[in-house]
Amino acid sequence: MTTPATTTTGRNDPCPCGSRKKFKHCCGRLDTAGPPPVPVAVPPSGRAAGPVTGPVPVPALAPELFNRLAALMNAGRYAEVEAEARTRLEHHPRQGALWKVIGVALLQQGRDARRELQQAALLLPGDSEAHYYLGNALHDTGQAGEAAEAYRRALAIRPSFPEAYDNLGSALRDLGKASDAMACHRQALALNPALAEAHNNIGNLLLELGERDQAIASYRRALELRPEFAAALASLANAHTARGEFAEAIARYQQAVQIRPDLTEAHNRLGNLLMRTNRAAEAADCYRKVIALHPQQAEAQSNLGNALRELGRYEESAAVLRRALQINPQLSAAHYNLGNVLMDLGRIPEAESSYRQALALYPDYVDAHIALSMALRKLGRAAEAEAACRRALERVPDHAAARTFLAEFHADRGEFSEAQALFAQAIAVDPDLAEAWAGIARFRKMGPADGAWLEAAQKLAGRGLPARHEINLRYAMGKYYDDLRDYEAAFAQYRRANELNRRHQPRHDRQRLRWLTGQKITHYDRDWLRRQSSDARSDAGASERSVLVVGMPRSGTTLVEQIIAAHPEGYGAGELPFWNAAAADYEPAAFAGRSAEAAGALAGQAAAYLGLLGRLAPQARRVVDKMPANFMNLGLIHAALPGARIIHVRRNPADTCLSIYFQNFSTALPWANDLEDLAAYYDDYLRLMVHWRSLLAPGSLFEIDYEQLVDAPQTWGRRLVEFAGLDWDPRCLEFQDTGRAVTTASKWQVRQQISTTSVARWQHYERYLGPLRRLLEPVAADAASAGPDAT
């Protein structure tokens, strides 16, 4: 907004009140008649002046007073200007010049000046500056229509007032009258070609019209006239952003906020650009500066939460986002961002709730529809999930990210050609969409003819992508090289992917896991199991409906699930988080010795779990829950459901751990991105399985080696089905032809014929095993504990 400068004046100079009259003919004149009758406002002292009904002499004020006020104004001491002018106003309530000076001081402090400037305009009806400043005050408070009328009154008094034309143009722009606004800005320049604000405002209009090059020319002209014009620098940064010139835009924003540290919108936009260029730490600093200036700005809090998430500070991010929602519960972006963090933390039901709140506030929020789809898919609600994804595409049919995620549903059902087609469509819309490029490699065998894919992926990965996008590409490139048997190049890509993952998630606490493992071994002993047995002998506890498949991730649990789920009387429920949540409810009190509280948490778990299985598959005799991490909870599960059948799948430890290392588990498995952490986790897994093997009742646990299963699928497939309590059916080994959805990382492999191609895969990467090498020693291999038989 254009504001004429305040100057120090003599009696023959323009009056410092801004009227453009000589001081001796304005505020410095010896006597003047009052304006037409108006009610005079109550002075700050609280003494009412009362309505004036006729001409009243206005005492002259000494020119020294206005010279002093002008000097303070030029020094930026606006609060002092306001205080002294208000003191004088108590004795001279009809001095319009004092009302105007106070109003200008308030404007300079970013405060509401409407009351003071309305009084000034009433007392000085022929003063174009009084109406002009009133227009500024009205415009600052969002009253563009009233502001435009005030500017027009100023121009009626003084038609050659370039700043009034320029600000009238800004008000008309806000009213959606772009052509009238442009005419006003051009009239301002006709009157004053050096008016930098008018050049900047013309640039803003041109940018809105898509004329980016002309807009940049206007901004540069404004900066030639005023090199320290922060608003023009910020506007120029906006134009560079629109042209995708992010480095140039960042530089201009940085200049702008150096000149004007209080330019909050520039800080916010700079933060957004830094986020786009994978500089989340710097972005967070920008958002913090906005919050320091305006602690109640919910948008900046939401943006800061998003930046903290990118930095892997998930709990801190969630706290900031909740603060944003306390300030503004209607901020849909904050609900969406909070949902994303809760997804990272594995709190999927809470994430679903956040996404639904975002959509309740903004039903066309396409990213929230996609995120809700992801949450529902993780919760095993495939039909709802796909419907949510399709709702995003209904709103934006060519939305690349929505097409990419829709491809996942086709892949879940084994419809890989349909998935590939959707990835290609997404890339046609957005050639830089890393997830679509990564998807192509995940769901087919790559070969020498895919060199163009590799070239595109390498180029994209080298462009400074946000970490989560580069991670996806690195894993995909690792698979590409593995498919081509270039194992050195493959491991280099996998290592880079895991390094990036480690930087953007909390560190795995090995000591905490070792302690937890020890607590479980100590607490879940035979005495504890005996104490629980009387409660577990209910109809629910005796049910044989549930089959739990446990083991390390990537050990073959999905293959075992597929074999049983392909039976006409079987159902595969995927990975259910039920027992992880049950343990989280039970164990803190139990391990702390608060037995009564712990027993309350344990009561009813069997009925609740079987109720869940009944809702998922009301007709199935056997429902398979293949959450691998349930190996942590077998004591709790066996106590609640002594009739449940538990299948433990084992695989060569090096093959298992490398396969985990080669898979993007994001934040779900914080121990999966470091070979030392993997080896330590595997040790705790072995300790627990030795303990459960000694604790569980005979006939409740069946252990099978992946290598034996793929080598003799008929033999071991029959034994699996028999253990599940079902009669053999040949369809159990034809699972690759079923349309059943599989959402785990093994969805591609389990659609193929059973083969031994993944056995001893670790030998290709032997030189990179490091701490995994000791897991191959006979003492650690768990082979001495039990054979692949029921216990």
Side-chain angles (χ1 to χ4, degrees):
M1 188 172 288
T2 312
T3 303
T6 306
T7 56
T8 305
T9 56
R11 287 188 55 76
N12 289 310
D13 292 328
C15 184
C17 77
S19 67
R20 299 294 178 92
K21 299 176 183 177
K22 288 186 178 181
F23 178 73
K24 65 183 179 182
H25 296 311
C26 186
C27 297
R29 55 188 166 182
L30 298 177
D31 190 26
T32 182
V38 295
V40 178
V42 179
S45 66
R47 297 191 298 270
V52 180
T53 57
V56 177
V58 179
L61 295 175
E64 289 79 8
L65 167 66
F66 286 95
N67 283 332
R68 184 166 61 256
L69 292 176
L72 290 171
M73 192 82 81
N74 286 335
R77 294 158 66 180
Y78 307 122
E80 294 176 54
V81 172
E82 178 193 355
E84 183 164 352
R86 286 195 188 280
T87 299
R88 297 288 181 168
L89 194 63
E90 293 181 7
H91 304 288
H92 304 281
R94 292 188 57 78
Q95 261 290 353
L98 288 174
W99 286 104
K100 185 164 66 169
V101 166
I102 293 168
V104 173
L106 289 170
L107 285 174
Q108 294 292 344
Q109 295 176 76
R111 293 163 58 194
D112 188 352
R114 286 174 295 176
R115 170 182 175 271
E116 287 74 10
L117 291 167
Q118 283 166 344
Q119 194 66 28
L122 287 169
L123 292 168
L124 301 172
D127 183 345
S128 62
E129 295 279 344
H131 295 287
Y132 168 82
Y133 282 120
L134 174 59
N136 289 355
L138 291 165
H139 201 186
D140 284 349
T141 53
Q143 297 174 260
E146 293 85 346
E149 290 307 312
Y151 293 135
R152 287 189 179 102
R153 285 193 293 274
L155 288 165
I157 297 166
R158 180 152 59 99
S160 60
F161 194 164
E163 293 88 354
Y165 269 115
D166 191 42
N167 288 0
L168 174 58
S170 296
L172 292 172
R173 176 188 171 208
D174 288 350
L175 292 168
K177 300 178 179 180
S179 59
D180 292 342
M182 184 67 80
C184 287
H185 294 314
R186 295 203 184 283
Q187 181 62 32
L189 286 179
L191 292 167
N192 180 6
L195 189 62
E197 290 86 351
H199 288 288
N200 182 56
N201 288 328
I202 287 172
N204 291 338
L205 275 170
L206 290 168
L207 189 60
E208 287 180 2
L209 295 169
E211 302 290 344
R212 296 170 186 167
D213 293 342
Q214 293 182 50
I216 287 174
S218 289
Y219 296 140
R220 285 180 174 155
R221 178 60 182 147
L223 289 165
E224 287 171 6
L225 294 164
R226 277 178 54 195
E228 299 300 298
F229 189 3
L233 284 165
S235 296
L236 181 57
N238 294 344
H240 283 301
T241 301
R243 292 207 307 192
E245 299 164 352
F246 299 146
E248 188 69 19
I250 288 170
R252 299 292 80 75
Y253 279 131
Q254 288 171 332
Q255 283 182 270
V257 296
Q258 280 182 338
I259 296 166
R260 284 277 307 278
D262 63 335
L263 211 57
T264 56
E265 185 58 25
H267 281 297
N268 200 50
R269 288 176 181 260
L270 174 57
N272 294 345
L273 264 184
L274 291 167
M275 285 291 289
R276 288 183 69 172
T277 53
N278 199 22
R279 295 159 67 177
E282 295 171 76
D285 288 339
C286 291
Y287 300 135
R288 288 192 184 97
K289 287 172 184 173
V290 177
I291 292 166
L293 292 164
H294 300 287
Q296 296 301 303
Q297 196 191 91
E299 291 83 356
Q301 299 274 6
S302 178
N303 287 341
L304 175 59
N306 202 31
L308 291 170
R309 178 194 175 219
E310 285 296 322
L311 293 169
R313 293 154 63 178
Y314 300 112
E315 294 290 356
E316 188 180 351
S317 170
V320 170
L321 288 163
R322 289 194 173 97
R323 200 151 55 237
L325 289 167
Q326 286 176 347
I327 298 167
N328 182 6
Q330 306 302 307
L331 186 59
S332 59
H335 285 291
Y336 167 74
N337 288 338
L338 179 58
N340 290 341
V341 177
L342 292 169
M343 285 281 281
D344 292 332
L345 291 169
R347 289 148 64 177
I348 314 302
E350 294 174 68
E352 177 195 354
S353 176
S354 288
Y355 294 139
R356 290 196 185 279
Q357 289 180 72
L359 289 166
L361 293 165
Y362 180 24
D364 291 333
Y365 200 158
V366 171
D367 288 344
H369 281 291
I370 299 169
L372 175 61
S373 177
M374 293 178 179
L376 292 169
R377 180 168 171 266
K378 283 186 175 291
L379 291 169
R381 291 148 63 185
E384 291 178 71
E386 186 167 348
C389 187
R390 291 190 182 279
R391 281 195 293 276
L393 284 168
E394 286 169 7
R395 285 159 172 80
V396 183
D398 62 348
H399 196 284
R403 286 183 180 274
T404 298
F405 195 60
L406 183 61
E408 296 289 337
F409 293 99
H410 287 285
D412 291 347
R413 295 190 292 267
E415 300 163 358
F416 297 113
S417 59
E418 291 87 343
Q420 294 287 338
L422 283 164
F423 289 137
Q425 291 170 22
I427 289 168
V429 174
D430 182 0
D432 294 339
L433 189 60
E435 285 73 14
W437 285 105
I440 288 173
R442 281 192 294 127
F443 300 135
R444 68 177 172 86
K445 184 86 168 177
M446 304 298 281
D450 292 308
W453 177 92
L454 178 64
E455 184 180 352
Q458 288 175 326
K459 182 178 179 182
L460 192 55
R463 285 175 46 183
L465 292 172
R468 67 184 65 246
H469 302 306
E470 183 181 345
I471 287 167
N472 276 335
L473 274 178
R474 296 291 178 186
Y475 279 112
M477 285 192 284
K479 180 184 177 299
Y480 169 89
Y481 283 119
D482 184 84
D483 285 348
L484 269 68
R485 302 183 181 182
D486 185 346
Y487 302 117
E488 181 177 0
F491 195 83
Q493 295 297 331
Y494 287 132
R495 182 164 46 207
R496 170 63 177 164
N498 282 282
E499 287 170 352
L500 287 170
N501 251 332
R502 280 202 305 277
R503 290 180 206 166
H504 292 86
Q505 63 183 16
R507 294 287 297 174
H508 171 59
D509 189 341
R510 293 182 208 161
Q511 295 305 315
R512 167 70 183 172
L513 181 63
R514 179 57 55 94
W515 174 86
L516 180 61
T517 301
Q519 289 289 301
K520 286 176 181 284
I521 291 171
T522 301
H523 179 80
Y524 296 113
D525 59 11
R526 291 191 180 280
D527 289 339
W528 174 86
L529 191 60
R530 193 176 302 113
R531 291 195 300 273
Q532 309 305 317
S533 62
S534 59
D535 295 330
R537 297 305 176 192
S538 63
D539 290 341
S543 170
E544 298 181 348
R545 193 174 196 206
S546 58
V547 178
L548 295 108
V549 181
V550 304
M552 287 289 288
R554 308 295 290 169
S555 63
T557 55
T558 301
L559 175 59
V560 170
E561 179 200 28
Q562 283 285 84
I563 290 171
I564 301 172
H567 194 285
E569 296 179 295
Y571 178 83
E575 298 178 356
L576 300 179
F578 182 93
W579 292 108
N580 289 336
D585 286 341
Y586 171 78
E587 291 178 347
F591 294 170
R594 302 193 302 273
S595 55
E597 183 182 336
L602 183 58
Q605 295 291 2
Y609 182 65
L610 292 173
L612 170 62
L613 300 190
R615 290 190 296 275
L616 290 171
Q619 305 302 320
R621 281 184 60 204
R622 296 291 182 266
V623 180
V624 183
D625 175 355
K626 62 129 294 182
M627 172 62 78
N630 274 335
F631 79 80
M632 300 284 288
N633 307 313
L634 292 185
L636 195 64
I637 293 168
H638 188 58
L641 289 167
R645 297 151 197 265
I646 300 166
I647 299 172
H648 173 213
V649 188
R650 303 177 299 199
R651 185 184 179 191
N652 177 284
D655 277 342
T656 300
C657 292
L658 278 179
S659 187
I660 293 169
Y661 190 72
F662 294 168
Q663 180 64 44
N664 184 11
F665 287 102
S666 187
T667 57
L669 305 180
W671 45 268
N673 307 121
D674 179 274
L675 296 181
E676 289 281 3
D677 287 343
L678 264 165
Y681 186 90
Y682 199 92
D683 286 340
D684 287 318
Y685 151 72
L686 289 180
R687 288 175 63 208
L688 269 174
M689 287 312 305
V690 168
H691 177 66
W692 300 136
R693 196 176 291 120
S694 69
L695 181 70
L696 270 56
S700 61
L701 176 66
F702 182 88
E703 300 193 274
I704 184 170
D705 290 329
Y706 169 80
E707 291 81 4
Q708 290 178 311
L709 176 59
V710 297
D711 185 57
Q714 280 281 349
T715 300
W716 291 101
R718 285 177 177 273
R719 296 189 68 176
L720 281 171
V721 172
E722 178 185 356
F723 177 75
L726 299 172
D727 294 329
W728 174 248
D729 190 296
R731 285 171 287 187
C732 292
L733 293 181
E734 298 170 358
F735 53 80
Q736 70 275 4
D737 299 324
T738 68
R740 176 181 171 267
V742 178
T743 61
T744 67
S746 303
K747 69 177 73 175
W748 163 257
Q749 291 93 329
V750 298
R751 300 293 181 187
Q752 316 307 313
Q753 291 282 347
I754 293 179
S755 74
T756 60
T757 54
S758 294
V759 173
R761 183 185 181 198
W762 65 269
Q763 293 175 357
H764 302 308
Y765 296 96
E766 185 171 6
R767 75 172 88 170
Y768 307 111
L769 289 181
L772 301 181
R773 190 177 300 279
R774 65 176 174 75
L775 299 179
L776 294 170
E777 297 172 8
V779 69
D782 196 31
S785 303
D789 250 334
T791 64

